[in-house]
Amino acid sequence: MLEIEIDGKKLTVPSGSTVMDAANSIGVHIPHFCYHKKLSIAANCRMCLVQVEKAPKPLPACATPVTDGMKVFTHSDQAVTAQKGVMEFLLINHPLDCPICDQGGECQLQDLAVGYGQSGSRYQEEKRVVANKDLGPLISTDMTRCIHCSRCVRFTEEIAGYQELGMANRGEFTEVLPFIGKTVNSEISGNVIDLCPVGALTSKPFRYSARTWELSRRKSVSPHDGLGANLVVQVKNHKVMRVLPLENEAINECWLADRDRFSYEALNSEERITKPMIKQGGVWQEADWQTALEFVANGLKGVIAEHGRDSVAAVATAHSTVEELFLLRKLMSGLGVDAVETRLRAADFSLKTAGATWLGQPIAELASNEAVLLIGSTLRKEQPLLAQRLRQGVKKGLKLAAINPHADDLLTTKAAELVVRPDQLVEGVLQVLKAVAEIKGIALPTNVDAASIDIPAEARAVAAVLDGKAKAAILLGNLAQQHPRYAEVYAAAAAIAEATGAKLGVLAEAANSVGAQLIGTDAGGDVFAKPRQAYFMLNTEAEFDVQNGAQALAAVQNAKLVVALSSFSSCALEHADVILPVAPFSETSGTFVNMEGRAQSFNGVVRPLGDTRPAWKVLRVLGNLLGFVGFDYTSSEEIRDEALAGDIAPRLSNVLAAPVAVKAQAASGLVRLGEVSLYQADMLSRRAPSLQKTADAAVAAQLRASAATLAKLGLAVGDRARVTQGNGVAELEVAVDAALLDEVIRVSANHPLTRALAAHVGAISVVKA
Amino acid sequence: MTIYAKGVVFEGVDFDNPNHWRLEEYVKRGGYAALKKILNEKITQDEVIAEVKTSSLRGRGGAGFPTGLKWSFMPRNFPGQKYLVCNTDEGEPGTFKDLDIIVSNPHALIEGMIIGGYAMGITVGYNYIHGEVFEAYERFEEALEEARKAGFLGDNILGTDFCFQLHAHHGYGAYICGEETALLESLEGKKGQPRFKPPFPASFGLYGKPTTINNTETFASVPYIIREGGQKFLELGKPNNGGTKLFSVSGHVNRPGNYEIPLGTPFADLLEMCGGMRGGKKLKAVIPGGSSAPVLPAEIMMQCTMDYDSIAKAGSMLGSGAVIVMDETVCMVSALERLSYFYHEESCGQCTPCREGTGWLYRIVHRIAHGEGRPEDLELLASIGDNIAGRTICALGDAAVFPVRGMLKHFRSEFEYMIEHKKSQFAALS
């Protein structure tokens, strides 16, 4: 510890601290632009120059290490003169047209210019003009405003993992730009908008739509992946205008994934349905709530009376809140219906654990593991910010290994990687398990039959990464959870965890996957395999939210009664008999339990659109209409307290409830790798126009395979290919993907172009279209 | 161009012999004797460094930092790779001495680097050569190959267990890459931009490893110091300014060229060696140490001796030893315009004061030089200079300001005249 003095205040700081750290620790603000606590130190803006006793010239606070006895003056004449000098330089070439700049009112340069700028300019020469750059559909540029702080450049390199932005040219001709002809395609690219201290990088969807001072700031929680990123939703005239991160070091730090940030566009979509609707005689008609709810209540009662309670199934995505799912299950219990299911993207429902499967450790601790083994995950697309966390971990020595049906670049170093066919994920995990057993000199568990398994060098390397690590984690991603042999993948992974002492974790697919398990809405199994007479669908679109979308769609289309509780009309209009317009997360209070078991409640940030109602209220009234007791809730908090009564932690468990028989199998032939793409994951992201224009969205529309496989199939890049799976056919553009084994055909699942196809993993045939 | 050699770097070089630069000729005139002496007599690392300290050799690249002291900063017992780097990115306008060293006596540099490697326990060295010289680069590569073949360079040098690999690296032609940390960035394949210090290269240098960087002429002086003794080198010059130094004399003299003379030689003598002023004109001013050194008027310059301390006392810098001589016809506004343009063009753009300030300085001087000056411009120039100097990551900001300050200090009236009359008393530079 070092004793220093800042502006006459004595303080003690750890050695290795910078003057900036020390000042921050006592609340002394030193003006700065390039400094950012999460980025490397550049010391290039020079705004944080301060006076240090005995130093001949002012020093940058961000880069100057504290020494014992140091005396720092942040507001002395020398310091302020230096700071004002820098401010003048920053402003000479910066446009002084704040009224027409989108950053106006939330601009660090503008703010600091109030304190350190002059009322007039001494600069009488021509000002610099810089051509704008096309960074893609999310980030708008006004490069003349750039002050070259390099935060965006450092972000892409250090946080996003790939330097998509760089500084070209020299001197005052220095420009920030992407690779020639390329855009910024990171799944977390939007953070550069927050990082940019001026109006050079702004949000393309939000640009020029509102002023910061017109916006109300309301806290919320991201409804997308299982992280539960904290949001500040900004609202004007009861309309969500944009979404920014709410800093929470334990969850999203100060970042947001682009999906969290830009999906709000869907909230204001034309596809929002604002009035209850009933289809009568094949014609949709608007109805009042009373009529619609009575229609639903009577319809359900009628189907059950005629076909029995097993003829009804309720489905919901795990993007629904705790309160909604709890009342859904309660309503169905009242009707005697057991089939309530949220694991809609699963293919194997047989896994039974002692509690709700979860991350197995706090999110904040992930990066401090010595080793992490990822199994079945496109992590950057499934959990963009977790991928970022692991990237930071790798920098500090974490060894990352993967068993995956692809070799996608995680934009960090993988210590070992085993790439398998999608239908051989179990066998891949068994190879590593066998290698672990060999290293440890232990026998395989009796429930595992891996006699036919040979151990390739890659599997040994993966096993070696886990070996001898005091703190390690094995994480199962979406591809694992959606695998047709998930229970076997899980059991084999659990055996590795057992043998190595690593913690087993499940990367929750959706915002409330853990909450759904706590409530018990994972009890229906594959409710579309054997079609029902009636489906009660909450926030669910059969062809996009269910693994075998084609099968689900057929089941729904043939059902007698389909009740859709949805914010959007398009899919529901096609298949439902009655649509009840329910509020998206922004228009209701609710709770999500994230992957680490943390319950995060939020309030609605705007009032429900039109006649839309929060789903929990709709379900409550339905309960009342059906005459059930216990539907007298007056607030969502009451429901939450009942739904999540007691501590959550004891109810989380990744321990298998019963042994799973794991048996290695052989596989050959063309096989589909079906993955739910980044921006098709949920109802909101798939309706966000800007996200649909991204490079990720474009890739999701392609058929991808190795060069050798394409050659064998007689396909060339850019061709159209017709793929057939079961009865489903899809036509896609062909692209090459070096991350795949031969015979693997990567085709997005639950995508508008592939909705006719069946399960994510399975035999597939491909011909040139 | 004249090479006038009466010193250590070009000692004994017969410029009329086309093979004067080859290893064979170098050995004939005593080359590699210093290296052999060290290895045969098992002179310790400490003794080598002590000898360099005794010599009072100061960095010849511009800053004049004591070389022996710099060598002693290298953590010799650091367990990983360490690097030795030679800075031949000679980019300072007016300087052309290092080019002549690698063309005419490359083995002196090679031997000096090998000795440096030995003294600091370094096994790998790089010579970063200015990107706009091609034949010189190729000659240096050829000299390296000669040294390797002769067993002076590479594994087990002269049969001992001392190994030293030396590589030439052709740079990219940016002035900023002569700044030592920008040079390291560039050598690593990145954009040449100075690093913030601390950490200094001695602890975090090339690829993050301890690194010592010296100028070409500095290294090339080392063989002499070891062979003849530091004391003898020191006595060639004057106390605290040991040895001889190369001066690149350009401008209005009869015989511009490189002059290797003892430090402490009066400027008047140097001017005489150069054949005096061209066309019999009167000396007006001298920039004594490369374009970033403040200009000194004739009357001050004629009182100076050519060494670090004397020139510093006169208010300028010996710098890299580039002596730019200007006669009475020179318009100082026009001269400053050209100097300021250079720094505006060469600023790397990394930090604010230099990126924005160098362009501002240039534009004002340009306006004045083109008859569009304003009365307040001179105060503005001084103020902008104050806001740049000492506020930047590297010294380029200072380098851009010093010429402005020098000109305004000694030739302010010319600027005032031009602002008032919208034209110069002198013809503009052609």
Side-chain angles (χ1 to χ4, degrees), chain A residues 347-508:
Chain A
D348 175 4
F349 299 85
S350 63
L351 179 70
K352 293 281 177 280
T353 49
T357 57
W358 67 302
L359 186 60
Q361 60 190 305
I363 291 165
E365 282 184 23
L366 263 189
S368 61
N369 279 290
E370 292 170 56
V372 168
L373 170 59
L374 270 180
I375 299 178
S377 175
T378 53
L379 192 67
R380 279 173 54 209
K381 311 302 169 186
E382 296 168 5
Q383 316 280 356
L385 289 180
L386 271 198
Q388 182 276 131
R389 268 194 192 268
L390 289 181
R391 206 168 285 138
Q392 305 315 317
V394 169
K395 282 188 206 163
K396 295 193 184 102
L398 182 154
K399 299 280 181 235
L400 189 58
I403 307 172
N404 259 329
H406 59 76
D408 284 1
D409 196 346
L410 279 168
L411 300 182
T412 187
T413 309
K414 281 178 273 196
E417 179 169 46
L418 175 62
V419 182
V420 295
R421 289 168 56 95
D423 50 3
Q424 290 279 287
L425 188 57
V426 176
E427 288 68 27
V429 181
L430 286 177
Q431 287 168 358
V432 173
L433 173 60
K434 226 170 155 177
V436 166
E438 232 182 60
I439 292 173
K440 301 273 180 197
I442 53 172
L444 293 180
T446 52
N447 58 312
V448 172
D449 176 358
S452 62
I453 293 280
D454 294 322
I455 311 172
E458 293 84 355
R460 285 184 205 283
V462 171
V465 166
L466 288 178
D467 186 43
K469 301 293 194 298
K471 194 176 174 201
I474 299 175
L475 304 175
L476 298 170
N478 291 5
L479 296 179
Q481 294 166 63
Q482 293 161 5
H483 198 268
R485 294 159 69 200
Y486 175 41
E488 286 183 80
V489 173
Y490 191 101
I496 296 176
E498 169 86 28
T500 59
K503 278 186 185 150
L504 183 64
V506 175
L507 301 172

Side-chain angles (χ1 to χ4, degrees), chain A residues 343 351-361 486 490 504-506 508 512-522 593-597 644 648-657:
Chain A
R343 294 170 298 172
L351 179 70
K352 293 281 177 280
T353 49
T357 57
W358 67 302
L359 186 60
Q361 60 190 305
Y486 175 41
Y490 191 101
L504 183 64
V506 175
N512 202 25
S513 293
V514 173
Q517 295 177 72
L518 292 172
I519 293 159
T521 51
D522 51 347
V593 181
N594 76 355
M595 62 170 74
E596 62 178 356
L644 298 177
I648 291 175
R651 289 186 278 155
L652 304 172
S653 173
N654 293 336
V655 175
L656 280 164

Side-chain angles (χ1 to χ4, degrees), chain A residues 55-75:
Chain A
K57 50 192 186 180
L59 299 175
C62 67
T64 303
V66 164
T67 54
D68 205 25
M70 186 183 253
K71 281 187 182 162
V72 178
F73 306 94
T74 69
H75 292 91

